[in-house]
Structures are given as C-alpha cells and as structure tokens.
Amino acid sequence: MAFSAFASTPAAAGPVVRRRSWIALVLLLPGILYLLLFFITPLISLVFTSFQQPVINGDIGQYSAGFQWSNYTDSVVQYLPLILRAFGYALLATLLALVISYPLAYFIGVKVRGFPLVQSLLLTLVIAPFFISFLLRTLAWKQIMSDEGPIVVGLKALSIFPSDGHITGTPFAVIFGLTYNFIPFMTLPLYATLERLDVRFIEAGNDLYASPFTTFRKITVPLSLPGIVSGTLLTFIPAAGDYINASGDFLGSAQTSMVGNAIESNFLVTQNYPVAAALSIVLMAVILIIVGFYVRRAGTEDLI
Amino acid sequence: MAAGTFAEKGADLELVGITKTFPGFTAIRSLDLFIPAGSFFALLGPSGCGKTTTLRLVAGLEEPTAGRIVIGGKDVTSTKSFQRPVNTVFQSYALFPHMSVLENVAFGLRRRGIASPLEKAHEALRLVELDHLAARRPAQLSGGQQQRVALARAVVNRPALLLLDEPLGALDLKLRRQMQLELKDIQTEVGLTFLHVTHDQEEAMTMADTIAVMNRGEIEQMGAPEELYELPRTAFVANFLGQSNLFTGEVVSSTPDALTVASAGQQLVIPSARAPRRSGTVTVGVRPEKLLLLTAPPAAPSSGVNVLGPGRVIDVSFSGVSTQYTIAVPGIGDVIVFAQNMVFGPVVHVGAEVWVSWNVEHGFGLEDSPAEAAAGVADAASAAGADGDVATSALTTVKA
Ligand SMILES: Nc1ncnc2c1ncn2[C@@H]1O[C@H](COP(=O)(O)OP(=O)(O)O)[C@@H](O)[C@H]1O
Ligand SMILES: [Mg+2]
C-alpha cells in the first residue's frame, strides 16, 4: 500500500507533461487566431492587391486579379525620392530623438534615482503629450510655426529670417514634428535600461583611470545598448511610415512628401490600390532589411 | 603620475580629520590616519562600521564632508577618482559584464596607455590562476573566480596605493591562504602600499604590518598585530580581536609598579605600565590562553600571580588543539580558559570546583570607563553574532 505512492509518480509523469503542452497550446490559441485574422489575412490580401491589374474600360478604382510585376518597378521608380526622403527624415528624427532622450532618460533613471517622486513626476511629463491627440498636437505646432505665428513673426521682426521665409512646409518642420511626436518612444525604453544601470560599474571605470567621457563610451553606452536599440527601432519604424507630419495639411508640403504620403494619396485619393499596396510592401521590406542588419550589428543577444 | 608607466613604489596615505555624513547618518567621525609608503595596513571592524566608506573616500568615489586626503604628499581631496593613483578591489567585484575577463583586466592598462596590455593582463590572470578562463564573461564565473578577477584587474595596474575591500571573502580557506601569500608577495616585491579592509581578524593579523580596529565610524586602536592583541586599549578591541576576560572593580592601591583592583572581593594586580586608568572604577582584563586551571587552591598566595576562585566549571568544549572551559566564579561571572591539550582530553569536567591563576604581567587595563566597556563588549558580541563566527565571539562579563 505504502509503495504505491512511489510507484504512481513515474507513471503520472507522462500525462502531466502532455497536459502541460495542451495548456500552453490552449493559452496560445487566442494569440494565434488573432495574428491569423488581423495580420496574416490582410498581409496576403495586400500582396494580392499589389499584383492586380486595371480592368479594361472599367471604373476608376476597379482592378482584377493578375500578376502585374510592373506595379512594383513603376512605383519604385516614380516614388524613389519619396522613399529615400522617408528614410532620411526618419533617420534624422531618430538621431535627434536619441540625442535629446538619452540625457533626459539618464537624468530620470540615474541621477534622481533616490527620489522616486521626482522620477514619476518627470516620467509623467514625458508621456503627458499622449494625453492629447496626435493630430491636435501636430496641428498646434503648425499654428505655432505658421507664417502668422509667434516664431516666424518674431524672427522676421529681428531680421534673422528673410521676409518671405516659412517654417511650415520645410524639411525642418517635418523632421521637428517627427522628432517631437516620437520622443516618448525613445525616452521610455532608454529609461527602462538606464534605471537598472548599476552605477558601481561606472565607479569601477573611474577607478580604472577612465575619464567621465571614456567611462560613458566604454561602459554606460554598451550597458544601455538594449534600450538604445529598442528606442531607435520604436522611433525609426513608425517615423519612416508616417504621413501626418509630412502632409501639406500639417507641417509639410509637396516638397517634403514621404512614402507614407504617396501610399495615402494612392489609396484614398487616386484609388490606385495596386501601387499603394506595392509601396506598402516595399516600405515593409526595406524596414525589415534595415532592422535586421541593425539588430545584427548591435549584437543585442550578445549583450544581455 | 606619468602615463604609460607603472608606479615606481608605493605612496603614503594621510587622512586628516575626515568626516563623512550621509543624510541623517554619520558614517565616519573625524578620522585621522597615516599609512607609511610601502606598508600593509589593515582596517579591521565589524560590518557597517564604515570601512567601505573610508575606502570610497580615498578612491574618490565619495566626497568627505570635512577633512583632507593626502596621497604621496599631494592633497587629492578635490581630485577626481580617475586621476588618483589608486585602484580598488571592490567588495561587490564590479566586473564589467559586457567584457571578457581578459578585457576587464586590461581595462586600466589601456586607459593609461601601458605597453602590451593583453600580455600583462594574461600575466595577472596567471597569478590568480584564471588564465584559462580569460575569454569568458564574468557572469560565467563562480563568485570566488570573480573575486580573483577583481583582484587581478586592480593589481595589474601596480598602483601606488591599492585599496582592497574584503578581497578574499568569497574564497575557500585553502585558496584564501594562497591568495594572502601572493598578495603579500606582490606588496613586498614592488613596495606598494596596501590598504586592506577586512572583518576577519585572523587575516588582518597574519597579513598586516599595522592594524587599525574600527568601530562605529571611529578608529578604536591602531598598532602592530602583537601590540593590539597583547595590550588592547578598549573593551571592543579586547573582544573583537580575539577574546578577553574582563573584570571591573575599584582601585585599592596604586604604586609606580602595580595597580591593585578589588572586584567582588577578589584582589587583582596588573602592572601599572599596562594600565592607562589608575584611579576610581577601572576595567582590567586577561586573555583566556594566559589562564591556568587549578583543581586545588594554591598553597601560598605568591606575589606576581593573580588567583580567582573557587568557581565551578559550567561548560567544557573540546576543539582538538585546545579545550575551552567556562568557569562561573561567584560575584565575578563567567571566566573563559583556553588550555592546551597536554594530556588526552579535558582535565576537569562540568561541575568540578576549580581556581584560575595568571601571571600579573599578562593582565592589562582598559582606557574605557565602565559604561564604555560595557558598550564595547556589546558591540563586539553583536559583531561576532552577525558574522556567525564562533571563534571571535566574546564570552565576557563586565561586572560593575
Ligand atoms: N550612500 C549611503 N547613504 C546612507 N548611508 C550609507 C551610505 N553608504 C553607507 N552608508 C552607511 O554607512 C555605514 C558604513 O557603511 P560601510 O562603510 O559600507 O560599512 P562596512 O564597514 O561594512 O564596509 C553603514 O551603516 C551604512 O548603512
Ligand atoms: Mg564594506
């Protein structure tokens, strides 16, 4: 009788393990279904759309299934400047956001570590812009930087700015808008790593003759690389596809159009769905390639 | 110091009136300290007494609230940490997690532009017997191995002043002994100055030329190991550095040669030269291994010998080389005797009536007032309790 208690243990091990994997599968099911329904399905549909051809003598916006590879070549050739501009602007905005966010995140995560109240207050301030709609904030900046706004008027009064100068509609305004709108996505991951940074490593660096700058370069930056990588990705990816900041209705003009604006106008204005779909897929592919190389170079898995 | 070269020899260190106050807590109280160049100096004290804080002040990782720090004749009080000719073996190791063991050790050499840093780093790793793990990351090493890497990373720089914060605490006994010898070798070979922090009194006594015993942010006593052991000045030192039997009583006679103290009706004599306080209520002591156990009262009270008793043996604890007897003496309290095992096993058993005696010249007097002595005994007892170290536990009674 007493021995049966021991004997039953190995016998039970099999079913227990199998039941565990069942539970895992059941728990994963909603996620898998969700991805299938809301990511894979539209993606397949997008790929099909990108190869569609116009219906002869059909209405505007009427297309039939086909394999029109020229959708890709034509749209890339036509919109190459916009594609390059999108990545250029996104890159600049990401770098600016990094330069602004790093000291900010360092201050909140390391310097005021002993004062949790100050820390939460500053973090709240960082995410406070999210309490207002993205569109409204960008419109507000449009007004501030408009030709009748205080900045332009003031600069003109001081004769720093030519009398026919503008801020809105320039690359400056668009990059400014992108930087401003995505800064919290940079600051928060940076804060999350810097908050856990062990300052004893910095002290050890100082003790081993490294100047503050060398310590920063050799110790602080490598140790906060996971935050830098996720922050730059979270900023760069949405910034590259953004079409609000660069649009003429907000901070941009025809001269600052990014690939997102081309996708938007093809989808919603000219109803040229295949070109819009092809551009979307090109944008996605380029981002994937860039991110792949970037993550590889940064060697995050090596660091953690 | 010149870039690209090692320190030629050690530098002396002088702390003048150093005070360090954290918000609401004073960790160091007007500390004065002089460590001559080329010496091996140990700072010994219970955990929380301010040893690490002292090292951090010297390394420049903490700014003193008051006072000056002078290294090699130069006032470095306002000098930044990376400009001081000092390296630290951190209590927490603080090895850089994103670098290999080898790069960790080469870090300081590279910063100072020393020639062939990797070669020298390998050499330092061989010294701590870890060269075969040079390519690993610190996280892939055991605690003891990490501690040795931390040691190599500091020693490889041959700094004029090396600060060691409990650098051998994570090593097992055999490796600790070996590292102690190697540290001592490095120190004498190059003539560097070592400031070694430890709470292990045996380590301090075997390695250091000079020991400073620290308690509650102050140095209680400083001197050569034998001097500190044979002539402790405070109850804390008497019990933190080994064990002592302490007796408190009134001075009944004082001559240039001898001081006689009456404690619970028993007369105890100590040499006047070994008694800083010579009137009123004083505390005198004797080390347990100086005591002789007698099973009969001494025939004739001879001068030059103190006798206590009769008392009753209440505990016998055999430890191979020696046996520790605890004897309850009425009116005095518990007295500890360490006796060499000259015969097989203990010579008396629990319940036996015994007397203890010791040579007058082995006794010592404390500077402490009776109240200070009681506080010192309590501090040493709690320090021993916190360390879980039976050998240093203070089994002493102070009877006012
Ligand atoms: N940054 C700090 N803020 C407040 N108190 C501190 C700080 N650093 C150390 N202390 C306190 O100072 C005392 C001495 O600490 P420390 O020098 O680390 O002791 P130890 O002798 O064990 O090395 C301790 O009571 C500790 O709590
Ligand atoms: Mg410490």
Side-chain angles (χ1 to χ4, degrees), chain B residues 67-150:
Chain B
R68 289 186 303 123
I69 299 165
V70 183
I71 297 174
K74 271 215 314 246
D75 189 326
V76 296
T77 315
S78 53
T79 309
K80 294 265 175 279
S81 164
F82 72 99
Q83 292 162 324
R84 298 193 187 184
V86 170
N87 282 113
T88 310
V89 181
F90 292 95
Q91 191 169 14
S92 61
Y93 322 145
L95 299 176
F96 305 129
H98 59 294
M99 294 180 197
S100 68
V101 164
L102 184 68
E103 278 304 325
N104 262 283
V105 178
F107 190 88
L109 299 172
R110 287 194 196 281
R111 300 286 85 73
R112 286 166 63 204
I114 304 263
S116 47
L118 290 182
E119 230 166 86
K120 294 197 170 71
H122 275 299
E123 208 174 293
L125 282 172
R126 271 195 290 278
L127 196 68
V128 295
E129 299 186 356
L130 283 180
D131 200 28
H132 58 293
L133 303 180
R136 288 223 194 147
R137 288 287 163 90
Q140 298 167 307
L141 303 183
S142 74
Q145 290 170 331
Q146 290 183 27
Q147 194 158 47
R148 277 140 73 201
V149 175

Side-chain angles (χ1 to χ4, degrees), chain B residues 214-260:
Chain B
M214 208 170 168
N215 187 31
R216 295 177 184 266
E218 284 170 303
I219 289 185
E220 294 246 341
Q221 193 179 349
M222 197 159 90
E226 310 80 41
E227 187 189 320
L228 241 59
Y229 186 80
E230 297 300 350
L231 198 52
R233 281 284 171 242
T234 67
F236 179 79
V237 175
N239 276 321
F240 189 73
L241 209 64
Q243 285 176 245
S244 296
N245 294 302
L246 298 181
F247 315 100
T248 298
E250 297 294 328
V251 174
V252 290
S253 88
S254 171
T255 69
D257 284 340
L259 195 73
T260 309

Side-chain angles (χ1 to χ4, degrees), chain A residues 99-130:
Chain A
V99 168
I100 296 167
S101 289
Y102 202 99
L104 185 64
Y106 191 88
F107 182 78
I108 305 173
V110 180
K111 288 289 167 189
V112 292
R113 212 174 256 187
F115 312 92
L117 217 63
V118 179
Q119 255 184 333
S120 7
L121 181 72
L122 291 173
L123 280 177
T124 311
L125 287 178
V126 168
I127 54 168
F130 283 137

Side-chain angles (χ1 to χ4, degrees), chain A residues 199-212 215 219, chain B residues 1 55-62 71 80-90 93-94 96 107-109 111-112 150-151 153-155 157 159 161-164:
Chain A
V199 292
R200 287 180 295 188
F201 297 132
I202 297 176
E203 290 179 348
N206 284 330
D207 185 72
L208 291 162
Y209 315 106
S211 64
T215 309
I219 291 156
Chain B
M1 113 182 55
L55 287 199
R56 289 173 59 81
L57 287 164
V58 175
L61 302 173
E62 209 83 68
I71 297 174
K80 294 265 175 279
S81 164
F82 72 99
Q83 292 162 324
R84 298 193 187 184
V86 170
N87 282 113
T88 310
V89 181
F90 292 95
Y93 322 145
F96 305 129
F107 190 88
L109 299 172
R111 300 286 85 73
R112 286 166 63 204
L151 203 58
R153 186 178 68 171
V155 164
N157 298 294
L161 174 60
L162 185 68
L163 309 176
L164 304 108

